[in-house]
Amino acid sequence: GQNIDQPTEMTATEGAIVQINCTYQTSGFNGLFWYQQHAGEAPTFLSYNVLDGLEEKGRFSSFLSRSKGYSYLLLKELQMKDSASYLCAPFLYNTDKLIFGTGTRLQVFP
Amino acid sequence: EPEVTQTPSHQVTQMGQEVILRCVPISNHLYFYWYRQILGQKVEFLVSFYNNEISEKSEIFDDQFSVERPDGSNFTLKIRSTKLEDSAMYFCASSEDGGGSGYEQYFGPGTRLTVT
């Protein structure tokens, strides 16, 4: 089976840095997506990792360690609009579906 | 920027009725998907569609569900006889290539289905 683990909730202050962790146990792992989902809205793509290491994209970076089954999303210079759920979604060989974790609800306070 | 569109944004129906949820994927995309999200729960895969046929479906996607691409632009999800537990947000998504290839899936804004 597939198992994805993320913290349920996190809080942070505007301007700060926050790291959202994701551990996964999947068979046929190919890579991992991070999506952002504001309440009542659709998930939107943030980042994508296939190889080990850090991928940087503006204020957002994502890290992957395939051997450890571990990824994190790093958000810098937090803004109020970053208050949302962050979804870790491994993707597998021989399947097109995304498998979403329950997500981490991030609240940013002034 | 191209986007996935869905109609209606909100659908209320009575238990046992049939509903059709509509989606227009991004025009050059080849793979299409339906996901659902019950309030407060995670996004769940329902079905993927490629080359005019279902490529994969989940256990949720039983005989009550069907998908169709009736023309070159629309992609529909039909629920034949709705149940209370079908109440959820239904997201359509599309991608240039299969998810296993690492192509991101673009999600539509969703249809909130309420079954009474």
Side-chain angles (χ1 to χ4, degrees):
Chain A
Q2 323 290 351
N3 192 44
I4 302 160
D5 202 24
Q6 299 179 239
T8 306
E9 288 197 9
M10 297 182 71
T11 59
T13 308
E14 208 173 4
I17 300 172
V18 71
Q19 178 175 313
I20 300 174
N21 296 323
C22 171
T23 57
Y24 59 87
Q25 292 167 320
T26 60
S27 51
F29 178 82
N30 192 7
L32 189 141
F33 287 105
W34 282 94
Y35 277 79
Q36 179 191 59
Q37 186 179 29
H38 285 98
E41 297 183 12
T44 54
F45 169 79
L46 286 178
S47 71
Y48 153 77
N49 294 75
V50 174
L51 302 176
D52 284 357
L54 190 68
E55 293 283 341
E56 296 190 72
K57 206 174 176 184
R59 293 191 300 115
F60 295 78
S61 305
S62 57
F63 172 84
L64 178 66
S65 169
R66 298 176 69 102
S67 62
K68 294 181 179 174
Y70 168 67
S71 175
Y72 67 72
L73 181 70
L74 194 71
L75 293 79
K76 302 175 192 170
E77 300 168 18
L78 280 172
Q79 302 174 9
M80 298 295 291
K81 67 178 182 180
D82 298 329
S83 293
S85 288
Y86 291 86
L87 314 179
C88 169
F91 62 94
L92 313 177
Y93 288 107
N94 300 320
T95 178
D96 299 318
K97 67 185 178 189
L98 292 177
I99 307 162
F100 286 98
T102 51
T104 298
R105 186 165 162 252
L106 174 67
Q107 287 186 283
V108 180
F109 293 101
Chain B
E1 186 174 326
E3 57 183 19
V4 176
T5 59
Q6 290 185 243
T7 53
S9 56
H10 193 187
Q11 173 92 48
V12 181
T13 190
Q14 289 190 322
M15 201 165 49
Q17 295 297 303
E18 175 183 286
V19 293
I20 297 175
L21 310 183
R22 292 184 164 79
C23 168
V24 178
I26 295 173
S27 61
N28 65 330
H29 285 186
L30 301 178
Y31 287 75
F32 314 117
Y33 313 85
W34 285 101
Y35 292 83
R36 80 171 185 190
Q37 187 174 31
I38 295 169
L39 191 63
Q41 297 186 25
K42 64 182 178 182
V43 178
E44 301 174 289
F45 169 78
L46 291 178
V47 66
S48 58
F49 192 87
Y50 169 70
N51 202 26
N52 282 318
E53 61 183 25
I54 290 173
S55 52
E56 191 173 355
K57 59 184 180 179
S58 70
E59 315 82 59
I60 303 167
F61 194 89
D62 61 20
D63 292 343
Q64 299 282 55
F65 291 88
S66 63
V67 289
E68 197 178 29
R69 187 152 163 84
D71 53 42
S73 59
N74 290 284
F75 180 51
T76 62
L77 175 70
K78 183 193 290 186
I79 310 175
R80 274 185 252 294
S81 177
T82 50
K83 303 188 275 278
L84 293 176
E85 54 265 36
D86 293 328
S87 294
M89 182 76 97
Y90 287 80
F91 293 109
C92 174
S94 68
S95 62
E96 283 184 59
D97 203 334
S101 306
Y103 281 79
E104 67 178 276
Q105 295 180 19
Y106 292 80
F107 284 75
T111 294
R112 179 160 297 286
L113 177 65
T114 303
V115 182
T116 61

